[in-house]
Structure formats: C-alpha cells, structure tokens
Amino acid sequence: MKQSIIVFSGAGMSAESGIQTFRDSNGLWENHNIHDVATPQAWKKNPDLVSEFYNHRRKQIIQAEPNAAHFAIAYLQKKANVQVITQNIDDLHERAGSSRVLHLHGNIRYAKSSGPNQEKTHYRINGHELKAIDLCPDGYRLRPHVVWFGEDVPLMEKAISLVNKATHFVVIGSSLNVYPAANLIMCCSQNAKKWIVDPKALEINIPSGFTLINEKAVDGVTTVIKQIMNSLS
Ligand code: APR
C-alpha cells in the first residue's frame, strides 16, 4: 500500500521558534480578547485594531526562524510521501523547506479582499504591514488571509480526504481545542499508525491508538521520524 504520512501541526510546532501559542500560560488569548481581534464582527467594528494585531504577529513571524522540528519534517518530506496540514498561519514549515503545506486557518503572509468575493484571490504582503489604504482591485480593504472564529474553513474537506487516506498520522503541538480542525483526529483509519507529540500529551483528549510522545516538538519529532522510518523499511 502506498505510504501517506500526514503531519498535523498546531501552535506548539512553532513554540520553539519563539512564537506564542494560544492557550498555554501567557498565551495569545490571555493577552487579547478573541472578540476584539479574531472575528468578522471585530473587523467590521474596528478594522485598524484587527490589522494592527496581525501586523504585530506578522512582524514576529518574519523575525522568527524555523526550528529543528520544522527542518526535520522538511527532511522527512524528501524521503517519503508527506503532506503537512497546519493550523498555524506562520510560514515556518515552508521556510524550513517543506512543500505540500495545507494551511487550514490561512497564512498571515497573504491578504484577501474584505468584500464578498474573499476566497477568490490571495495577495502576498510585502513586509509586515497591511495598511488601511491597501485596497483590493474590487475596491474593498485588504484583510489578513486567515480564518477567523465563526468563519468557514474552506480547506476542511480537502484535509479530511487527505487524512482518510493516511497510513501514518502525526499530531504535533495542538491542544485539539478548536473545531472543525480538531475533528481530523477522528478521520484517520483504524490501521493508520498514529502519534501525538506534545509536552502535555497526557492531558489532551485523544482517541485510543495514538502513541503519546510527551516531549516538545524539537525532541519529539526526531523520535517519531525514527519510528516512521523503521515502519517504512
Ligand atoms: N512543542 C510541542 N507542543 C507544544 C510546545 C512545544 N515546544 N509548547 C506547547 N505545546 C503544546 C501545548 O501543550 C498545547 O497542547 O502546543 C499546544 C498549543 O495549543 P493551542 O495554544 O491551543 O494552539 P492550537 O491547538 O494550535 O490552537 C488551534 O486555535 O486560536 C485558534 O486559530 C487558532 O490555529 C489556532 C487554533
């Protein structure tokens, strides 16, 4: 059977690159109210505040570097059929050399129209700032190409079909708190080999059949890659 490895990453994947997670202590949602900065209603009420929030995060991401876990996944992609599905809006997987990266919650390096035809075109943002005067050709203000709370996840169907076919499924650094993304752990076949890499893996509600690797991404990913390579040989 053709091997298909799915790496499903969350904010913990980028924690060792110095990027805050959301729900750990001192996480992003401890210092910002989701309803002020990460919903369509927030954008309608105060687009400058929302834009400033993402400009600050974009600047941090541009200044951050991929960590050893990002590079290890990129290495694995050269050896096997690996698809990354990430909840992260940073581009660290790509900057570590990974291709085939599906951003379930969008990509902060891109913008899209805040008008009705949002999903049509995405525009690469030069530098870290999206300004009020940056308009889309349709005349609407450009907004970050990210999925806000309450919005549809356009790539969810594609992600489900990829996970359905996975022979190996690795969750790295996600609290599995946010839906529908978290539903992906229920979409892999019984026969797939499954791992979760997270220093709090024991506290996460995960179905049976997953090997728990209670480590940070940089160490845990090396452990998993060894086990995957053994299973492929
Ligand atoms: N290595 C691996 N995992 C780590 C590390 C690390 N160094 N540090 C923290 N973690 C784990 C935490 O234990 C936690 O389980 O990463 C997870 C981070 O969880 P969240 O902060 O909830 O992030 P995530 O699961 O990606 O959130 C999902 O929520 O706010 C939305 O859109 C946002 O995509 C995000 C979604």
Side-chain angles (χ1 to χ4, degrees), residues 25 159 174:
S25 55
S174 177

Side-chain angles (χ1 to χ4, degrees), residues 122 139 145:
H122 304 136
H145 167 40

Side-chain angles (χ1 to χ4, degrees), residues 69-112:
H70 292 108
F71 286 110
I73 299 297
Y75 165 79
L76 183 63
Q77 253 193 2
K78 292 178 176 46
K79 300 283 177 197
N81 174 26
V82 178
Q83 168 75 45
V84 176
I85 297 175
T86 186
Q87 298 171 90
N88 298 337
I89 58 175
D90 66 53
D91 57 348
L92 297 180
H93 278 297
E94 291 91 338
R95 284 164 52 196
S98 279
S99 52
R100 295 195 306 284
V101 180
L102 184 152
H103 283 268
L104 263 188
H105 293 158
N107 184 333
I108 200 169
R109 302 301 300 270
Y110 288 80
K112 63 183 180 184

Side-chain angles (χ1 to χ4, degrees), residues 169-174 176 185 193-216 219-221 223-224 227:
F169 183 67
V170 190
V171 180
I172 305 171
S174 177
L176 299 174
I185 60 168
K193 291 180 174 55
K194 303 179 263 293
W195 295 264
I196 178 164
V197 177
D198 194 305
K200 292 184 194 153
L202 290 170
E203 300 163 40
I204 295 172
N205 186 11
I206 193 112
S208 62
F210 276 77
T211 301
L212 306 183
I213 297 186
N214 247 15
E215 294 177 29
K216 292 185 173 181
D219 298 326
V221 167
T223 308
V224 172
Q227 293 179 16

Side-chain angles (χ1 to χ4, degrees), residues 96-187:
S98 279
S99 52
R100 295 195 306 284
V101 180
L102 184 152
H103 283 268
L104 263 188
H105 293 158
N107 184 333
I108 200 169
R109 302 301 300 270
Y110 288 80
K112 63 183 180 184
S113 168
S114 54
N117 308 323
Q118 290 189 358
E119 285 315 317
K120 291 262 182 308
T121 318
H122 304 136
Y123 304 90
R124 175 95 178 164
I125 300 168
N126 294 322
H128 76 275
E129 233 179 339
L130 199 50
K131 302 186 190 79
I133 51 164
D134 294 334
L135 300 183
C136 185
D138 65 7
Y140 286 91
R141 181 168 171 174
L142 282 172
R143 55 160 278 190
H145 167 40
V146 297
V147 176
W148 284 328
F149 288 93
E151 292 189 311
D152 288 342
V153 181
L155 294 177
M156 193 63 202
E157 286 311 309
K158 180 158 186 241
I160 290 170
S161 74
L162 288 165
V163 174
N164 282 162
K165 295 191 283 276
T167 55
H168 300 68
F169 183 67
V170 190
V171 180
I172 305 171
S174 177
S175 62
L176 299 174
N177 261 311
V178 170
Y179 291 82
N183 281 328
L184 286 178
I185 60 168
M186 309 305 286
C187 299

